[in-house]
Amino acid sequence: MKKILVTGGLGFIGSHTVVELLNANFDVVIIDDLSNSKIEVLDSIQEITGKKPDFFNIDLRVKEKVNHFFSENHIDGIIHFAAFKAVGESVQKPLDYYENNIGSLVYLLQEMRDRKLDNFIFSSSCTVYGQADELPITENAPIKPAESPYGNTKQIGEEIIKDTCKANGLNAIALRYFNPIGAHDTAKIGELPLGVPQNLIPYVTQTAAGIREQLSIFGDDYDTPDGTAIRDYIHVVDLAKAHIAALQRLIEKKNDTNFEFFNVGTGKGSSVLEIVKAFENTTQQNLNYKIVGRREGDVTAAYADTTIANEQLGWKTEKTLEEALLSAWKWQEKQ
Ligand code: WQD
C-alpha cells in the first residue's frame, strides 16, 4: 500500500480527504499541530473508515522536527493542507502567515528533494484569480495581485512548487479550491470554525441553531441579478475526491507536465441570497438575516470552469448544493 502524508489532516478538508484516501486503500499518516483542529477528529475518522491513521503532532515551522519525521517515515506522496487560512486575520498578522504557510512548505519540499520523494498535492485557492475578467474562471485566467497576505501565500506557494518541480524533477499538482462547504454524510466530521465563523455557511448554520443572533449579508449592491455576491460552493466530499484523483494521476504518471494546476468547483455560481433561500427550503429552518455593507476584499463573482479538471482528472462533482447545505445543517445539529 502507498503511504500518503496528509499535513493538516485533522482539519476540515484534510479530514474528509483522509477518509477518502483510506476508503481508496491508501495507507495514511497525518501531521497536524492542532492549531485549527481537534484530536477527536482522529477517532471520528476511525469510526467512519474502521482504520486509524498514524498521527504526529508536529509544528512544520520547526525544520528539525520535519527532518526527523522524514528520517523515520517512508512517504510515497504528500497532500499538503496545513496552513493558516483566515483572510482577515492574515491582514492583521502577515508575518505569522508567511512564516507558517511558506516556511512549512519550503521545509517539506526540501525533504522531498533530499530524499528523492515524489507526488505532491498542494491546497491552493481560487483566490489567486482575484476578480477574474471572465466567468466562468478557467485555469488560463490571469493571476491577479493578491488581496490579502493569505491569498499571497497561495500564489507564492504555487511559484515555489513550480520552481522546485523544474529544478529537482518533482511532480506536483495544485488544486485551486472554490468554496468548500458541507460535511460527511455520517455527520461525524465537518467544519469546526474557531470563534466567530468568517465563512458564510458555518455562520448560516450557527444562526439557524441560535448560536448567532442574525446573519449579516455583506452587500446587496453588487452587479449581480439579486445584488449579492456569487460564489461556487462545492461539497467538501466532492473536493476530497478531487485530491484522490490528482494523487492517482501523479502516481500513475499520467501528468502532462511536472507542475499542473486545476480549478476545483461545481461550475455553478450561487448568490448569498440564493444560498439563504436554498438553506431555508432544504432544512425547513427560518434564517434571520439583514443586509449590511460590503466586506473589504470581497469579489463580485467567482465560479469555476471545470472542463479541464473533469477531463484531465477524470473527476466531477456528484453532490448537489442542497445535499451540501443539508449535510452542513445535520453536522451543526450534532455540535
Ligand atoms: C462567501 C460569500 C461573503 C460571511 C474565502 C477565502 C477563500 C477560502 C474560502 C480559505 C461572500 C458572504 C460571508 C458572512 C456574508 N478560504 N458572506 N456574510 O470570501 O468567497 O472565500 O473563504 O481557503 O480563499 O477567500 O468565502 O464564505 O467568507 O464568503 O454575506 O457572514 O458570503 O461576502 O460573498 P470567500 P466566504
Side-chain angles (χ1 to χ4, degrees):
M1 275 203 287
K2 298 280 185 192
K3 189 170 200 175
I4 307 301
L5 166 60
V6 181
T7 72
L10 295 184
F12 174 38
I13 305 167
S15 57
H16 287 82
T17 302
V18 166
V19 164
E20 297 308 325
L21 282 168
L22 293 170
N23 289 344
N25 260 331
F26 285 97
D27 195 8
V28 175
V29 54
I30 293 171
I31 288 179
D32 200 303
D33 69 359
L34 300 175
S35 64
N36 191 21
S37 56
K38 291 182 177 152
I39 188 67
E40 289 78 8
V41 172
L42 197 55
D43 295 331
S44 303
I45 289 170
Q46 184 173 18
E47 284 168 28
I48 295 169
T49 63
K51 303 171 190 172
K52 186 165 189 175
D54 291 340
F55 167 68
F56 296 83
N57 180 348
I58 293 173
D59 183 342
L60 293 170
R61 292 170 294 191
V62 183
K63 187 182 175 76
E64 297 67 36
K65 292 191 174 172
V66 178
N67 181 272
H68 178 70
F69 170 84
F70 281 93
S71 62
E72 308 252 310
N73 294 273
H74 177 75
I75 299 297
D76 298 302
I78 299 181
I79 304 182
H80 180 44
F81 292 103
F84 293 154
K85 54 157 262 183
V87 173
E89 183 187 53
S90 76
V91 176
Q92 312 306 324
K93 304 176 179 175
L95 286 176
D96 293 3
Y97 274 67
Y98 289 115
E99 181 193 35
N100 186 42
N101 294 8
I102 304 301
S104 60
L105 172 65
V106 168
Y107 293 155
L108 286 171
L109 293 175
Q110 285 172 330
E111 295 297 330
M112 296 192 86
R113 174 199 62 196
D114 298 347
R115 301 169 190 274
K116 303 215 178 326
L117 301 179
D118 204 358
N119 310 320
F120 189 73
I121 307 292
F122 180 61
S123 167
S124 190
S125 170
C126 64
T127 302
V128 303
Y129 298 115
Q131 176 54 69
D133 304 322
E134 289 178 35
L135 293 168
I137 303 174
T138 69
E139 285 81 356
N140 300 322
I143 303 301
K144 294 270 184 82
E147 309 250 347
S148 69
Y150 160 76
N152 208 19
T153 65
K154 292 302 179 184
Q155 288 184 13
I156 297 167
E158 287 196 12
E159 291 299 314
I160 290 171
I161 296 163
K162 185 169 70 174
D163 291 344
T164 304
C165 290
K166 189 172 172 200
N168 305 320
L170 174 73
N171 290 285
I173 289 177
L175 295 181
R176 293 172 177 171
Y177 309 158
F178 279 69
N179 288 59
I181 66 167
H184 195 264
D185 293 349
T186 59
K188 291 178 183 294
I189 53 175
E191 200 164 359
L192 285 169
L194 293 181
V196 178
Q198 299 305 303
N199 293 127
L200 178 64
I201 301 309
Y203 207 105
V204 163
T205 58
Q206 288 191 11
T207 303
I211 297 168
R212 305 290 162 197
E213 185 60 34
Q214 182 177 51
L215 169 72
S216 295
I217 295 182
F218 299 144
D220 69 345
D221 59 347
Y222 285 99
D223 182 15
T224 62
D226 65 19
T228 62
I230 292 171
R231 296 289 185 276
D232 183 334
Y233 297 93
I234 177 172
H235 195 300
V236 65
V237 172
D238 279 332
L239 177 58
K241 289 179 177 175
H243 291 77
I244 313 310
L247 181 66
Q248 280 164 339
R249 179 178 174 85
L250 293 183
I251 288 174
E252 293 161 20
K253 303 195 183 313
K254 290 181 176 168
N255 48 317
D256 297 328
T257 59
N258 62 4
F259 175 65
E260 298 179 312
F261 45 88
F262 299 100
N263 289 350
V264 184
T266 67
K268 179 179 172 297
S270 302
S271 74
V272 180
L273 275 174
E274 285 171 334
I275 291 292
V276 168
K277 294 285 167 280
F279 179 82
E280 289 183 322
N281 294 339
T282 308
T283 62
Q284 300 304 307
Q285 299 297 315
N286 189 32
L287 207 59
N288 178 14
Y289 68 86
K290 67 178 175 185
I291 308 286
V292 299
R294 293 183 178 192
R295 178 174 68 178
E296 175 101 15
D298 277 351
V299 298
T300 300
Y303 50 94
D305 179 316
T306 60
T307 310
I308 303 287
N310 298 155
E311 287 172 1
Q312 303 284 320
L313 293 183
W315 163 91
K316 65 179 178 51
T317 49
E318 296 161 359
K319 292 183 179 280
T320 64
L321 174 68
E322 288 70 23
E323 284 173 301
L325 293 171
L326 190 55
S327 68
W329 177 237
K330 273 176 61 186
W331 163 250
Q332 181 66 60
E333 286 184 307
K334 277 197 66 179
Q335 301 313 304

